[in-house]
């Protein structure tokens, strides 16, 4: 029997109903396979499971993901009690229905196969760091926690609570616990964000991170800030970027990027001005000098903004120092002054130098020169939180310098008990911080981590917290959208494992230890916090607290677009002093600048446990699942290496081996290394992959804030006679297009 | 009948890849391990391609999201010996998984490389299976798969509209990639509905082009050209 005859027979017989289960004959318009599409009959499959195989109904819940930079309002699809899909909350002003890759991967955190299933105690005789734990009951765990609190309490700073960045309810809880138990709350945030907050304070007198009215900006000048992929609020900025480019009402905005790396963000710029690392601030001052000399801006304003700082600026010298030409600096200055509304931002690498605060302050001050502070198309300063004063605004984390002091305190026996929640500092700081060694000998360490990571592995006791989708919380996103906003996090699914909310654990154990906190449960804390918003207007009109809460749960938060920040100042609060960057390592012995950079999906490594994000190609190299070092083609030729060849990267603080990616856009003097890998712990998807650049970052410090200057290390690179295959997407398609068949077609802007 | 299509504005796309993860979450795409990248067998129904242009220091990196083009005259369709790949009456190029016998002729005949073969049975740790979308079949070993324009969302919207006795409205639903895209670079809709956003953009923008258009397959995915002040004046839409 011919195949075609067989198919005819099967289709016409009862067996056909089995073979074609799930198919629907929608049209009979011809015969089998006669090659004429208009006459062939069509069988339509839903390409999904048949309707009768689905039991249950969808439910959609609004919540907020505070860990995502800036905070995202989300709608979670829940089916039969399981979280299936993350969508953006269209009402939430920061992301307006849109999401980031990290938001999407949130569901994997709930169902992660290596999530800690319940409380655990370090096995008798096992050493800290061994990861050798025994499961215990929650009664035992709570009893041990309360005993630890009782025994350690009393002396000042004998208890230290280490957390990630917190706001809203978690910030209130940490503060109240601190004052009731005599504990010191230490918040750990990204070093570059610490520097940015201080710059905002000094330049604008603002305690908050900035937003940009990018949709109405005509010229964006960005000094190294990875604002589309990592910096402070990328989803918010991506939304605005779309409008900036093709919003329709305004002419297309122009974006120029000044920085040492053609990063994932910089590659979207109309022009890139490569500079030597750490010279962002000097270039900004040279621009101001040009604007002043050429009368492009009010000279009185220049004086009040920069004071004496411009007196010593020689544009030609800055050009030599930065790697630009004097003409390029003049071009930047003229365009910035004349193309308004213009806005200047700086961040990421610019903040991670010994002169990071100067870099950011000098760049953000440029906005005063062209009147772009607090106006349409300019930099938008965010107002204080609408919550009462006793509920803290988001604040700076501890500096690296203070972290080393904390480690010393632990070593000296000042600290008796270390509680750790939502942070992994042993991974994210160089060994020179001494924190790992301190935790290894601290009298008592208790972690609330959902996963075993480089820090929680030092704990005697692990009491796993709930994940974001299972927990309550109130958060104040920072940066906001330019007006007050509060996000409400609510549980959208039941806990998947035997974990408990950090807030509940701390409250219950504190009560057992005789430490008085104002709430009985985390949910009560949330309700109390939400009550403070009732009657403040905004998007929720209800006066009844219960109705207010229900409405807020449905909307995902509270915001008031009618309120804005206080009037912007007209000049920086503190004068600028020009400062050049300093690097660890002699230029002769270590000829390359090492530029670690935040990975677009793995961040600084906090998302390395999520498989979708591990498998997401880094946009520039397209590499996945590992670490590599990016070198300029000429540098690679000099070293006689090509893609996949192993090189040894050595800094004054250590060395490791990495495969090479030859990056046509890497400057000849830099070695680019992505952050995110090199975990010794942190689940099957992250362990023993690649290297952590912080392992060889020298402990250089930003001179004023004490933040870690993680971009201020020099390295040397030597070939090792080995080669690996670098896992990457490049190669599925060619790295370069054929000129005669452009895949990506380009055209000039209409106004050009 | 609608003809579903997509417009992707390359001047808005920033290469953030929210679309890629959203697609994988929606459509039960297996986790792409390091090994499958080595084997060149990673499955991404929509992917971001990156192309280099120029040499240091005048070098540029450009991004383009590439899903299935859902060609009207799709070269993948006539080569399938078992009618596993066919053209729906709504313009979708559809893969019927339970009919596919894995000849991979369709993949060989697709110029956009947007068809993916399951060389192995897809595996998830048991707990991660809780996340799988119940509306979308998990494809087994030996079966070809590809972008469906989130046909489960199309069907859901059409069923809801039918129950309510109306037509599906433009913007009533969208694909997972378009829903996630923060810059609104991806827009989905009915190309035959003159009032739809995609039809307007595809027909009125002077930047519209289609990938490998000279092949005459009539793709349903339109791109709007990237704008670059440094583009040569003679750059034309080409094929």
């Amino acid at each position: 029997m011919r195949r075609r005859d067989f198919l005819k027979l099967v289709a016409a017989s009862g067996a056909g109903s089995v073979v074609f289960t799930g198919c629907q004959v929608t049209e009979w318009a011809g015969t089998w396979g006669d090659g004429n599409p208009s006459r062939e009959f069509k069988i339509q499959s839903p390409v999904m499971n048949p309707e009768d195989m689905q039991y249950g109904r969808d439910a959609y819940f609004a919540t907020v993901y505070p860990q995502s930079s800036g905070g995202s309002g989300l709608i979670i699809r829940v089916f039969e009690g399981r979280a299936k899909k993350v969508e953006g909350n269209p009402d939430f002003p920061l992301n307006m229905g849109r999401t980031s890759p990290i938001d999407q991967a949130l569901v994997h955190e709930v169902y992660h196969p290596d999530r800690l299933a319940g409380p655990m105690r370090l096995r008798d005789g096992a050493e800290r760091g061994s990861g050798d734990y025994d499961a215990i009951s929650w009664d035992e765990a709570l009893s041990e926690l309360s005993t630890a609190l009782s025994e350690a309490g009393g002396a000042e700073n004998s208890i230290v609570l280490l957390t990630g960045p917190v706001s809203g309810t978690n910030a209130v809880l940490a503060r109240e616990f601190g004052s009731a138990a005599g504990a010191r709350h230490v918040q750990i945030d990204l070093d570059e964000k610490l520097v940015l907050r201080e710059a905002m304070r000094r330049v604008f007198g603002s305690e908050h991170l900035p937003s940009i009215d990018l949709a109405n900006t005509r010229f964006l000048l960005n000094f190294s800030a990875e604002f589309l992929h990592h910096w402070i609020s990328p989803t918010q900025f991506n939304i605005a970027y779309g409008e900036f480019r093709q919003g329709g009402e305004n002419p297309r905005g122009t974006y120029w990027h000044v920085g040492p790396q053609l990063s994932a963000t910089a590659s979207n710029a109309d022009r890139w001005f490569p500079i030597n690392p750490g010279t962002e601030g000097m270039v900004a001052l040279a621009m101001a000098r040009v604007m002043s000399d050429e009368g492009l801006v009010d000279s009185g304003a220049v004086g009040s903004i920069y004071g004496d700082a411009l007196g010593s600026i020689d544009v030609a010298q800055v050009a030599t120092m930065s790697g630009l030409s004097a003409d390029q600096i003049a071009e930047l200055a003229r365009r910035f002054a004349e193309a308004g509304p213009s806005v200047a931002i700086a961040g990421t690498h610019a903040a991670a130098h010994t002169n990071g605060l100067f870099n950011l302050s000098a760049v953000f001050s440029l906005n005063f020169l062209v009147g772009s502070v607090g106006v349409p198309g300019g930099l938008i300063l965010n107002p204080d939180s609408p919550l009462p004063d006793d509920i803290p605004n988001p604040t700076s984390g501890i500096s690296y310098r203070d972290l080393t002091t904390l480690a010393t305190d632990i070593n000296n026996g000042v600290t008796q008990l270390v509680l750790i929640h939502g942070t992994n500092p042993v991974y994210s700081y160089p060994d020179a911080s001494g924190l790992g060694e301190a935790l290894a000998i601290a009298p008592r360490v208790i972690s609330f981590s959902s996963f075993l990571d480089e820090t929680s592995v030092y704990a005697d006791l692990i009491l796993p917290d709930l994940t974001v989708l299972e927990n309550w919380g109130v958060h104040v996103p920072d940066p906001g959208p330019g007006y007050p906003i509060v996000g409400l996090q609510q549980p959208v699914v039941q806990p998947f494992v035997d974990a408990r909310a950090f807030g509940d654990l701390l409250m219950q154990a504190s009560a057992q230890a005789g430490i008085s906190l104002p709430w009985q449960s985390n949910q009560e804390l949330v309700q109390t916090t939400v009550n403070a918003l009732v009657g403040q207007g905004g998007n929720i009109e209800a006066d009844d607290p219960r109705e207010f809460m229900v409405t807020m749960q449905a909307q995902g938060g509270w915001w008031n677009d009618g309120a804005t920040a206080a009037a912007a100042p007209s000049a920086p609060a503190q004068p600028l002093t020009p400062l050049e960057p300093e690097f660890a390592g002699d230029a002769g012995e270590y000829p390359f600048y090492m530029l670690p950079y935040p990975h677009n999906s793995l961040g600084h490594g906090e998302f390395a446990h999520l498989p979708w994000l591990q498998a997401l190609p880094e946009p520039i190299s397209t590499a996945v699942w590992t670490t590599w070092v990016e070198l300029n083609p000429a540098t690679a030729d000099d070293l006689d290496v090509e893609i996949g060849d192993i090189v040894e990267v050595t800094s004054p603080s250590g060395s490791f081996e990495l495969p090479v990616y030859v990056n046509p856009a890497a400057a000849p003097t830099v070695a680019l290394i992505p952050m995110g890998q090199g975990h010794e712990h942190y689940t099957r998807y992250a362990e023993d992959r690649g290297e952590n650049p912080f392992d060889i970052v020298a402990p250089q410090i930003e001179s004023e804030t004490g933040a870690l200057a993680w971009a201020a290390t020099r390295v040397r690179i030597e070939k090792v006679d080995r080669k690996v295959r670098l896992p990457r997407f490049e190669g599925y398609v060619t790295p370069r297009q054929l000129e005669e068949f452009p895949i990506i077609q380009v055209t000039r802007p209409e106004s050009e | 009948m609608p003809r579903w299509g997509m417009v992707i504005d390359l001047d808005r796309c920033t290469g953030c890849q929210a679309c890629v993860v959203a697609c994988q979450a929606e459509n039960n795409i297996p986790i792409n391990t390091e090994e499958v990248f080595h084997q060149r067998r990673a499955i991404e129904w929509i992917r971001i391609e990156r192309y280099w242009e120029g040499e240091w220091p005048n070098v540029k990196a450009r991004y383009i999201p590439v899903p299935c083009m859902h060609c009207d005259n799709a070269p993948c369709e006539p080569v399938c010996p078992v009618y596993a790949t066919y053209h729906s009456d709504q313009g979708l190029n559809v893969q019927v998984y339970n009919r596919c016998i894995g000849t991979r002729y369709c993949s060989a005949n697709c110029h956009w490389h947007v068809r993916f073969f399951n060389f192995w049975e897809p595996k998830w740790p048991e707990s991660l299976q809780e996340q799988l979308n119940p509306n979308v079949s998990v494809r087994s070993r030996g079966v070809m798969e590809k972008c469906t324009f989130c046909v489960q969302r199309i069907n859901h919207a059409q069923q809801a509209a039918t129950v309510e006795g109306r037509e599906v409205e433009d913007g009533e639903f969208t694909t997972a990639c378009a829903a996630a895209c923060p810059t609104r670079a991806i827009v989905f809709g009915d190309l035959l509905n003159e009032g739809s956003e995609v039809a307007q953009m595809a027909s009125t923008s002077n930047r519209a082009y289609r990938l490998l258009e000279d092949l005459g397959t009539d793709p349903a995915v339109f791109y709007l050209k990237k704008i670059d002040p440094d583009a040569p004046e003679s750059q034309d839409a080409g094929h």
Side-chain angles (χ1 to χ4, degrees):
Chain A
M1 180 185 289
R2 289 190 309 153
R3 178 187 196 85
R4 186 175 298 170
D5 295 336
F6 169 76
L7 286 169
K8 282 182 185 174
L9 180 65
V10 168
S13 71
S17 62
V18 176
V19 173
F20 295 122
T21 294
C23 304
Q24 301 164 312
V25 178
T26 56
E27 186 182 355
W28 182 269
T31 56
W32 278 103
D34 64 0
N36 186 336
S38 65
R39 292 213 310 268
E40 285 186 23
F41 90 132
K42 299 173 181 175
I43 294 179
Q44 190 162 336
S45 163
V47 196
M48 58 184 194
N49 286 335
E51 292 288 325
D52 59 1
M53 289 181 67
Q54 294 175 37
Y55 299 95
R57 296 178 71 87
D58 287 323
Y60 294 85
F61 298 100
T63 190
V64 160
Y65 184 28
Q67 212 172 350
S68 175
S69 293
S72 291
L74 305 176
I75 302 285
I76 312 296
R77 178 194 176 201
V78 177
F79 182 87
E80 288 290 276
R82 295 288 181 254
K84 295 294 181 184
K85 180 73 171 59
V86 173
E87 304 287 357
N89 179 350
D91 293 332
F92 202 73
L94 286 171
N95 59 314
M96 295 191 287
R98 306 294 163 156
T99 50
S100 70
I102 294 165
D103 296 334
Q104 290 287 338
L106 194 53
V107 282
H108 268 186
E109 210 167 52
V110 182
Y111 305 116
H112 199 293
D114 295 337
R115 185 178 167 189
L116 299 181
M120 305 192 306
R121 181 200 296 129
L122 191 65
R123 183 164 295 162
D124 286 342
E127 288 186 12
R128 282 188 189 159
S130 65
D132 206 359
Y133 288 90
D134 287 323
I136 57 173
S137 71
W138 274 112
D139 286 344
E140 288 177 273
L142 273 167
S143 169
E144 289 207 20
L145 175 58
S146 64
T147 304
L149 290 173
S150 300
E151 291 176 355
E156 190 179 355
N157 291 342
S158 62
I159 301 175
V160 168
L161 173 59
L162 283 176
T163 71
V166 291
S167 70
T169 45
N170 279 348
V172 177
L173 178 63
R175 194 199 53 205
E176 290 297 314
F177 174 74
S179 77
R184 177 185 175 196
H185 175 213
V186 173
Q187 190 179 206
I188 293 180
D189 203 350
L190 302 180
D191 293 87
E192 57 267 37
K193 206 183 275 187
L194 167 70
V195 178
L196 178 60
R197 284 192 188 281
E198 185 58 26
M200 287 298 108
R201 224 170 267 135
R202 295 196 181 189
V203 178
F204 303 114
S206 171
E207 294 294 322
H208 309 286
L209 301 179
S211 299
I212 318 165
D213 184 21
L214 205 51
N216 294 306
T217 301
R218 299 281 51 84
F219 182 66
L220 169 65
L221 185 58
N222 177 14
F223 291 77
S224 300
E226 200 56 15
F227 76 103
L228 295 174
H229 291 82
H230 183 264
W231 187 66
I232 69 175
S233 191
T235 306
Q236 177 186 173
F237 295 142
N238 264 289
I239 292 168
Y241 177 88
E243 297 304 298
F244 167 73
R245 289 301 206 184
Q246 294 295 328
E249 293 181 6
N250 297 314
R252 177 181 184 270
T254 300
Y255 164 29
W256 287 5
H257 188 97
V258 180
Q261 180 193 10
L262 185 76
S263 61
T265 290
S267 58
N268 290 287
D270 296 296
R271 287 184 66 182
W272 172 44
F273 294 78
I275 59 169
N276 292 325
T279 60
E280 287 89 347
M282 297 304 285
V283 172
L285 286 194
M287 284 176 57
R289 181 66 191 258
V290 170
M291 285 188 266
S292 173
D293 290 351
E294 295 188 3
L296 297 171
V297 293
D298 177 30
S299 57
V302 175
S304 66
I305 294 163
Y306 287 102
D308 299 331
L310 294 188
S312 59
I313 295 298
D314 180 289
V315 175
Q317 277 184 1
V318 172
T320 305
M321 179 197 307
S322 66
L324 297 176
S325 69
D327 286 345
Q328 284 178 311
I329 292 175
E331 189 181 10
L332 285 165
R334 290 172 196 140
R335 184 68 179 246
F336 185 71
E338 293 169 350
S342 301
V343 68
I345 59 172
T348 315
H349 286 138
H353 285 282
T354 55
N355 63 341
L357 182 62
F358 159 69
N359 285 336
L360 300 198
S361 300
V363 171
F364 280 106
S365 294
L366 288 174
N367 294 296
F368 285 126
L369 284 181
V370 293
S372 285
V373 183
V375 298
L379 201 74
I380 305 300
L381 304 181
N382 276 293
D384 284 342
S385 157
L387 295 166
D389 291 342
D390 58 352
I391 300 177
N393 281 292
T395 54
S396 290
I398 190 175
S399 70
Y400 177 78
R401 186 166 50 203
D402 292 344
L403 189 78
T404 57
T405 307
L406 172 69
T408 306
D409 284 351
I410 297 174
N411 279 328
N412 293 341
V414 175
T415 302
Q416 295 297 307
L417 171 63
V418 183
L419 304 172
I420 305 164
H421 176 248
T423 184
N424 185 9
V426 174
Y427 170 83
S428 56
Y429 285 108
D431 289 346
S433 72
L435 193 64
E437 292 171 13
L439 291 178
I441 61 167
R444 195 108 172 108
V445 180
I446 298 176
S447 168
F448 299 88
S449 177
S450 299
F451 298 93
L452 197 64
D453 58 28
E454 287 77 3
T455 304
S456 59
V457 78
Y458 283 110
D460 307 304
L461 192 64
I462 303 180
L463 290 69
D465 188 16
L466 299 173
T467 60
V468 171
L469 298 187
E470 301 162 331
N471 207 353
W472 287 98
V474 173
H475 305 280
V476 181
D478 193 24
Y483 47 83
I485 183 168
V486 176
L488 179 63
Q489 174 195 350
Q490 63 174 327
V492 303
V493 287
Q494 293 292 321
F496 186 65
V497 298
D498 190 17
R500 293 191 182 178
F502 165 68
D504 288 337
L505 291 171
L506 205 55
M507 289 173 204
Q508 289 169 17
S510 294
Q512 288 180 19
I515 299 166
S516 175
L517 293 176
W519 322 277
Q520 300 296 315
S521 70
N522 190 42
Q523 193 174 351
E524 183 189 341
L525 167 60
V526 168
Q527 180 69 63
T528 306
T529 309
V530 168
N531 288 349
L533 291 168
V534 178
Q536 290 204 40
N539 62 323
I540 304 175
E541 295 177 352
D543 292 326
D544 174 61
R546 182 171 293 183
E547 186 184 347
F548 189 96
M549 182 71 173
V550 170
T551 312
M552 194 168 170
Q553 282 178 262
Q555 300 215 358
W558 174 96
W559 47 88
N560 184 356
D561 57 8
T564 53
S570 57
Q574 292 188 31
L576 276 172
T577 306
L579 208 57
E580 295 180 25
E582 295 175 5
F583 293 87
D586 175 69
E589 190 178 355
Y590 302 99
F592 298 96
Y593 299 108
M594 180 173 77
L595 277 188
Y597 64 90
H599 192 284
N600 67 304
S601 59
L602 305 182
H604 283 232
E606 64 271 34
F607 302 113
H609 61 311
L610 300 175
W612 282 335
L613 302 183
Q614 281 277 7
L616 202 60
E618 190 280 318
I620 292 292
S621 64
T622 76
V624 292
W625 288 102
T626 190
T627 312
W628 57 95
V629 55
E630 297 172 31
L631 299 176
N632 178 277
T635 307
D637 280 348
D638 291 345
L639 292 168
D640 189 27
V641 293
E642 54 188 27
I643 293 177
D645 281 341
I646 301 291
V647 292
E648 183 172 29
V649 183
T650 306
S651 81
S653 293
S655 70
F656 49 49
E657 294 182 354
L658 290 177
V660 167
Y661 176 75
V662 180
N663 178 344
T669 54
V670 304
L672 300 160
I673 303 177
M675 298 179 187
Q677 307 283 12
H679 285 276
E680 293 176 20
H681 302 277
Y682 211 28
T683 81
R684 70 186 70 179
Y685 298 113
E687 286 170 14
D688 301 325
R689 298 191 165 278
E691 299 287 350
N692 180 1
F694 286 94
D695 287 346
I696 65 167
V697 163
Q700 292 281 89
I701 286 179
E702 201 285 321
S703 60
E704 295 192 66
T705 60
L708 180 68
W710 49 256
T713 302
R714 287 180 169 275
V715 293
R716 69 169 179 268
I717 295 173
E718 293 154 310
K719 183 180 180 182
V720 175
D721 280 332
R722 278 191 293 118
K723 189 180 182 77
V724 295
R725 294 179 65 194
L726 181 65
R728 67 191 199 280
F729 176 76
E730 187 181 70
Y732 282 64
V733 295
T734 56
R736 290 173 184 268
Q737 308 180 81
L738 296 174
E739 284 187 18
E740 59 273 33
F741 294 109
I743 299 297
I744 300 175
Q745 296 191 15
V746 294
T747 186
R748 296 168 72 90
E750 289 179 0
S751 57
E752 294 280 335
Chain B
M1 280 292 176
R3 184 193 178 197
W4 301 110
M6 190 173 274
V7 175
I8 301 176
D9 189 341
L10 299 181
D11 203 37
R12 283 179 180 260
C13 177
T14 60
C16 78
Q17 304 191 84
C19 54
V20 177
V21 185
C23 173
Q24 292 176 342
E26 172 75 14
N27 291 302
N28 300 339
I29 292 173
I31 293 165
N32 289 315
T33 62
E34 180 179 352
E35 192 58 27
V36 302
F37 275 97
H38 285 313
Q39 295 168 345
R40 297 269 184 262
R41 290 172 180 174
I43 297 178
E44 290 184 345
W45 286 9
I46 184 169
R47 61 175 180 254
I48 305 292
E49 295 180 3
R50 185 239 52 223
Y51 292 99
W52 292 114
E53 280 184 25
E55 305 293 341
W56 166 264
N58 299 311
V59 59
K60 296 193 174 190
R62 300 195 194 281
Y63 307 117
I64 181 170
V66 181
C68 172
M69 299 292 126
H70 290 272
C71 307
D72 218 19
N73 300 316
C76 57
E77 291 170 3
V79 294
C80 179
V82 293
Y83 290 90
T85 178
Y86 77 100
H87 211 72
S88 86
D89 49 10
Q90 298 183 16
L92 300 181
N93 176 258
V94 184
Q95 185 74 15
V96 185
Y97 307 128
N98 55 5
R99 218 182 290 167
C100 178
I101 58 171
T103 66
R104 293 184 281 150
Y105 294 165
C106 55
S107 176
N109 228 30
C110 172
H111 302 272
W112 295 265
H113 302 302
V114 289
R115 292 181 152 267
F116 305 91
F117 188 65
N118 285 278
F119 285 88
W120 305 104
E121 198 70 24
K123 287 179 183 169
W124 288 267
E126 189 176 347
S127 60
L128 285 185
Q129 293 175 22
E130 302 287 349
Q131 180 276 326
L132 295 179
N133 186 349
N135 298 91
V136 178
S137 298
V138 171
R139 288 73 61 185
S140 58
R141 178 183 177 183
V143 169
M144 190 64 68
E145 64 178 75
K146 60 177 284 296
C147 162
T148 65
F149 270 170
C150 289
V151 67
Q152 66 280 2
R153 294 187 178 209
I154 295 175
N155 288 353
H156 187 269
Q158 289 179 330
Q159 286 160 6
T162 302
V163 168
E164 294 168 17
R166 58 174 177 81
E167 297 292 319
V168 175
E169 295 175 12
D170 185 44
E172 183 177 334
F173 75 98
T174 191
T175 57
C177 55
C181 180
T183 62
R184 297 193 77 249
I186 304 175
V187 179
F188 176 80
D190 178 10
L191 291 169
L192 299 182
N193 175 359
E194 291 181 1
S196 72
E197 191 176 1
V198 281
Q200 292 284 320
M201 293 169 81
S203 63
T204 63
S205 173
N206 56 8
R207 294 190 289 129
Y209 76 101
R210 291 184 284 184
L211 220 50
L212 307 180
E213 194 165 9
D214 283 359
L215 295 175
T217 62
D218 195 10
V221 176
F222 289 76
Y223 290 92
L224 303 187
K225 291 179 190 175
K226 173 83 180 167
I227 293 179
D228 184 348
D230 297 331
E233 287 185 54
S234 58
Q235 180 94 55
D236 61 27
H239 58 280

